Amino acid sequence: MKQLRVPKQLLLSVQKPAQYIGNEINAVQKDYDQIDIRFALCFPDLYEIGMSHLGLSILYNQLNRRDDVYCERVFSPMKDMEEILIHENIDLFTLESQKPVNKSDFLGFTVQYEMSYTNILNILKLSKLALRASDRTASDPIVCAGGPCVYNPEPIAPFIDFFYIGEGEASLGEVMDLYKKLKKTVNRSELKDVFLEELLNIEGIYIPKYYDITYNEDGTINSMTPNHPNAKASILKRIVVNLDEMAYADKPIVPYLQPVHDRIVLELFRGCSRGCRFCQAGFIYRPVREKSLETLKDQAKHLSNQTGHDEISLISLSSSDYSNLSPLCDYLIDDITTEHKVNLSLPSLRIDSFSLDLMNKVQDVRKSSLTFAPEAGSQRMRDVINKGIQEEDILKGSKAAFQGGWNRVKLYFMLGLPGENYEDIQAISDLADSIVGEFFSIPKPERPKGSVQLVVSTSFFVPKPFTPFQWVGQDTYEVFMEKQKFLNSKINKKRIKYNSHDAKTSMLEGVLARGDRRVADVLEYVFNAGSTFDAWSEHFIFENWERAFKNLNIDPGFYASRQRSFDEVLPWDFIDIGVKKTFLQKEYLNSMEEIVTPNCMENCMACGATCFKGGICYEDKN
């Protein structure tokens, strides 16, 4: 049994101590002193959140397949454990070996949401590392980051040595190979600098220190120029073309504590063909690449044998678009769920393509609430955002769900979408009322037991990089609150429950999502003022952010609520996701005209993603 970093008596004084000890089923154990590369893989949030993340599990398994790499997990400690670490002068440690993070060769962050940025700084501080890359020494770990948020890496660029743009499975092995080679031949005092220089030769890598930024008098970016001869002016994301050949998390760790999503996860495909104009994932993960039916069958059977989970979940951006969904579900229901006594979960389903037959098959295993995301209440707004769904489809789908035995339905909408007016907001309430009406239109003997339970949830629209709405000005906090209050007054509380998201965090997310390198000063200020876990309402301190903007003379509206022009240099313009900027501009203009763009699997719109020479859109053309 390895020596725990925190003494037992102190561990017993904190909440959920099991999250700090490692040794779970399928956790990897290696001889720490006999490994060439020690990689601390960090999800900058609580254990129960990070252990639900498929990407973390995939990278953990991929890196640990190598005999020369020891990939260990790191999560943000809860506040009570953080106090112990500081008071007892204990460096933050990895779970597997319980060794200090600062003894690793790499500290790699997977960055899934902007409001975790202050947690990244806290991880660095608790690891006794300088916050800024320029202040760290040659003996410190090389700090890297990947994930969806790094498609605009600039707000956290000063804190990171290099960013990996794209899917880690594609070429993270190349990065490890390079480091291993140099570690054998280069003096430790020079290793980091030599490695970063050599890293410029690997596609998909962005190293902030090799780029200089100049600004115009109005605060917009004038230029972003490489200051090293090997630094690329444009950085192309890396993707896995053939998902069947990709290593997957074949031995997922079974956590001691119940994570947020406690289940087997089957990833059907990557990418999305729908083209919803607000959805960053739908563009940055193009092209669509499916796993074969046989691969998914094999993975489902293997994962069921490797874990004791009682649920298997199919995930992708729009799971009902998987071309072999029906035969896959038949197999899972007839073979896996019966043999292993697990339930089948089908998230990410579109109400217009939801099969009543499939619903009935799944309900034989377990009935639960169904979740749909119309996103907008009016047809006009659904056309603006290219949702590709008609009200008739929503009502027919809802009625089919009720007839199939469900009486609990959750609906997700956004407030503050581009071009939205109060009639569009009223339409959210009207649509919810119509769905309730569909329930009561079913003869009572044929309805599900009990009354209809309808939950309407709204979040606030945040413009994201690499979407057609990346140029749009976000609503201000005051406008958000007016719209929320208006909708709340229209919802029929007797029949419908209404939940709403916090507008302040949405505004800050808007700042961080489209911020430039100067926003790093704001992050450092609020962190030094005591802010961490900003995504958690009980820990969020908005006043720290207000003081930071004021004292640093930075206008949050410049980043969040300002409309951009097409000719403005955007902080993320140097990243190439394959999808052309001209295509995004055309889609933005189409949104203003309420023109719907077809599903790209039905009619290729030449977005540019065929440059990767893979995926469904490429295969259909060749």
Side-chain angles (χ1 to χ4, degrees):
M1 180 71 179
K2 64 178 180 284
Q3 180 70 39
L4 294 176
R5 178 61 52 179
V6 177
K8 182 178 179 181
Q9 65 272 23
L10 294 178
L11 267 179
L12 294 176
S13 70
V14 302
Q15 296 183 59
K16 303 178 181 179
Q19 64 187 303
Y20 305 113
I21 63 177
N23 277 332
E24 306 100 319
I25 294 173
N26 291 335
V28 175
Q29 295 295 330
K30 296 184 179 183
D31 188 337
Y32 186 85
D33 296 321
Q34 300 301 314
I35 298 295
D36 293 310
I37 303 172
R38 303 178 186 100
F39 196 108
L41 180 59
C42 179
F43 191 100
D45 210 319
L46 297 183
Y47 174 94
E48 58 203 84
I49 305 295
M51 287 303 295
S52 298
H53 185 245
L54 178 61
L56 184 86
S57 184
I58 290 174
L59 290 179
Y60 178 84
N61 278 266
Q62 180 196 23
L63 288 172
N64 278 320
R65 281 191 174 92
R66 297 176 58 130
D67 293 333
D68 54 357
V69 177
Y70 193 5
C71 180
E72 305 183 72
R73 293 161 296 147
V74 183
F75 301 101
S76 293
M78 295 177 71
K79 292 287 187 177
D80 53 1
M81 176 57 83
E82 180 180 335
E83 291 175 5
I84 287 176
L85 295 178
I86 294 171
H87 184 265
E88 300 295 324
N89 196 28
I90 300 173
D91 297 354
L92 186 64
F93 52 92
T94 58
L95 293 190
E96 279 72 9
S97 70
Q98 299 280 297
K99 300 290 187 183
V101 169
N102 57 36
K103 299 302 181 184
S104 302
D105 294 289
F106 290 90
L107 170 56
F109 292 98
T110 176
V111 193
Q112 300 298 313
Y113 36 90
E114 290 86 357
M115 298 309 292
S116 69
Y117 287 173
T118 51
N119 281 14
I120 292 175
L121 300 188
N122 200 36
I123 294 289
L124 292 170
K125 180 181 178 181
L126 294 175
S127 301
K128 305 284 181 62
L129 298 172
L131 299 185
R132 301 215 171 213
S134 58
D135 295 329
R136 292 194 286 269
T137 69
S139 61
D140 289 330
I142 295 168
V143 178
C144 55
C149 285
V150 309
Y151 281 86
N152 176 22
E154 289 306 281
I156 56 173
F159 313 117
I160 306 296
D161 290 309
F162 77 88
F163 292 90
Y164 184 105
I165 311 298
E167 296 167 357
E169 306 94 316
S171 59
L172 192 55
E174 292 179 48
V175 176
M176 296 298 101
D177 290 340
L178 173 63
Y179 185 79
K180 180 180 178 180
K181 181 186 74 172
L182 294 175
K183 191 175 182 181
K184 292 179 179 178
T185 58
V186 179
N187 186 283
R188 177 67 181 179
S189 63
E190 300 174 348
L191 178 58
K192 182 185 290 188
D193 287 337
V194 173
F195 171 72
L196 290 176
E197 280 201 62
E198 292 288 326
L199 204 54
L200 290 170
N201 297 316
I202 296 180
E203 188 63 79
I205 302 296
Y206 168 53
I207 304 172
K209 75 173 185 176
Y210 293 133
Y211 294 81
D212 296 325
I213 302 172
T214 61
Y215 301 92
N216 299 310
E217 289 186 5
D218 64 359
T220 58
I221 295 174
N222 177 270
S223 66
M224 184 174 183
T225 310
N227 59 32
H228 189 285
N230 292 338
K232 302 174 182 68
S234 179
I235 296 172
L236 182 67
K237 74 176 183 183
R238 300 296 295 266
I239 70 165
V240 177
V241 175
N242 189 334
L243 297 189
D244 285 340
E245 297 176 355
M246 178 191 75
Y248 74 107
D250 59 340
K251 291 185 178 180
I253 295 172
V254 181
Y256 289 135
L257 301 175
Q258 184 173 13
V260 174
H261 300 301
D262 187 19
R263 61 199 182 191
I264 298 167
V265 175
L266 267 189
E267 183 184 25
L268 305 181
F269 59 88
R270 292 185 184 176
C272 184
S273 63
R274 293 289 171 174
C276 298
R277 292 170 179 141
F278 59 85
C279 179
Q280 184 187 50
F283 292 97
I284 64 174
Y285 293 134
R286 290 190 181 194
V288 174
R289 293 147 288 147
E290 287 191 343
K291 288 183 181 178
S292 69
L293 176 60
E294 290 308 310
T295 292
L296 288 170
K297 286 182 178 180
D298 290 344
Q299 291 180 1
K301 186 173 183 178
H302 179 83
L303 291 170
S304 297
N305 289 328
Q306 285 289 325
T307 69
H309 292 303
D310 62 0
E311 181 176 317
I312 186 166
S313 177
L314 309 183
I315 67 161
S316 284
L317 290 176
S318 182
S319 295
S320 55
D321 287 334
Y322 179 58
S323 59
N324 288 303
L325 183 62
S326 183
L328 174 63
C329 288
D330 287 343
Y331 169 77
L332 294 175
I333 293 169
D334 296 339
D335 291 66
I336 301 298
T337 61
T338 301
E339 178 182 349
H340 295 274
K341 301 295 188 293
V342 297
N343 299 311
L344 176 61
S345 172
L346 297 168
S348 305
L349 291 170
R350 294 175 61 85
I351 199 167
D352 61 335
S353 59
F354 199 86
S355 163
L356 182 57
D357 178 58
L358 183 57
M359 286 169 60
N360 287 331
K361 288 179 181 178
V362 175
Q363 82 169 20
D364 289 339
V365 181
R366 184 182 71 170
K367 279 190 186 128
S368 60
S369 61
L370 292 176
T371 300
F372 300 121
E375 309 295 359
S378 69
Q379 191 57 50
R380 185 187 79 83
M381 282 309 304
R382 287 192 292 275
D383 291 345
V384 166
I385 64 177
N386 206 49
K387 187 62 181 176
I389 186 172
Q390 302 293 314
E391 182 160 330
E392 179 184 0
D393 298 323
I394 297 172
L395 297 179
K396 285 175 62 178
S398 299
K399 187 170 185 176
F402 296 141
Q403 290 172 326
W406 278 266
N407 66 342
R408 291 176 290 166
V409 177
K410 299 177 183 177
L411 299 173
Y412 284 98
F413 299 91
M414 280 187 285
L415 292 175
L417 288 163
E420 176 185 76
N421 58 43
Y422 281 85
E423 290 180 359
D424 299 312
I425 300 172
Q426 171 73 56
I428 295 174
S429 174
D430 295 342
L431 179 59
D433 287 338
S434 297
I435 291 174
V436 171
E438 291 296 325
F439 179 86
F440 287 105
S441 72
I442 302 171
K444 195 168 184 178
E446 300 174 20
R447 290 181 209 157
K449 293 181 180 179
S451 185
V452 62
Q453 301 173 40
L454 187 66
V455 178
V456 169
S457 296
T458 59
S459 60
F460 295 106
F461 168 67
V462 178
K464 295 287 180 122
F466 296 110
T467 68
F469 292 149
Q470 66 181 358
W471 294 278
V472 172
Q474 184 185 30
D475 279 348
T476 63
Y477 169 76
E478 291 75 18
V479 172
F480 275 154
M481 295 309 297
E482 289 175 4
K483 290 182 175 181
Q484 185 185 89
K485 182 179 179 180
F486 175 81
L487 178 58
N488 189 48
S489 71
K490 300 297 180 180
I491 294 287
N492 181 354
K493 306 299 193 309
K494 293 181 180 179
R495 299 285 188 190
I496 302 164
K497 181 180 179 181
Y498 175 47
N499 297 325
S500 56
H501 188 68
D502 179 60
K504 291 178 180 177
T505 55
S506 296
M507 183 273 286
L508 290 175
E509 188 180 340
V511 173
L512 298 176
R514 293 190 293 174
D516 54 39
R517 203 172 289 191
R518 294 168 293 189
V519 172
D521 293 338
V522 176
L523 284 168
E524 190 168 6
Y525 185 104
V526 297
F527 170 68
N528 288 330
S531 285
T532 56
F533 290 102
D534 291 290
W536 297 71
S537 58
E538 62 266 39
H539 298 298
F540 178 56
I541 308 172
F542 185 61
E543 292 74 19
N544 285 346
W545 293 87
E546 288 182 308
R547 282 194 295 271
F549 290 127
K550 180 180 179 180
N551 294 341
L552 296 174
N553 196 29
I554 291 178
D555 176 16
F558 177 83
Y559 298 105
S561 56
R562 179 175 61 88
Q563 182 79 23
R564 280 79 164 161
S565 64
F566 283 167
D567 58 1
E568 179 176 332
V569 177
L570 302 174
W572 52 89
D573 274 346
F574 67 97
I575 293 176
D576 182 0
I577 66 166
V579 177
K580 300 172 185 175
K581 192 174 183 180
T582 52
F583 174 78
L584 297 177
Q585 291 172 344
K586 182 179 179 182
E587 278 297 281
Y588 174 62
L589 296 175
N590 283 344
S591 77
M592 297 177 67
E593 298 295 326
E594 300 168 22
I595 297 173
V596 174
T597 300
N599 181 331
C600 64
M601 292 300 98
E602 300 171 0
N603 183 16
C604 178
M605 304 306 293
C607 73
T610 53
C611 70
F612 294 105
K613 299 182 179 180
I616 293 175
C617 54
Y618 183 80
E619 292 161 3
D620 288 348
K621 285 178 164 292
N622 290 274

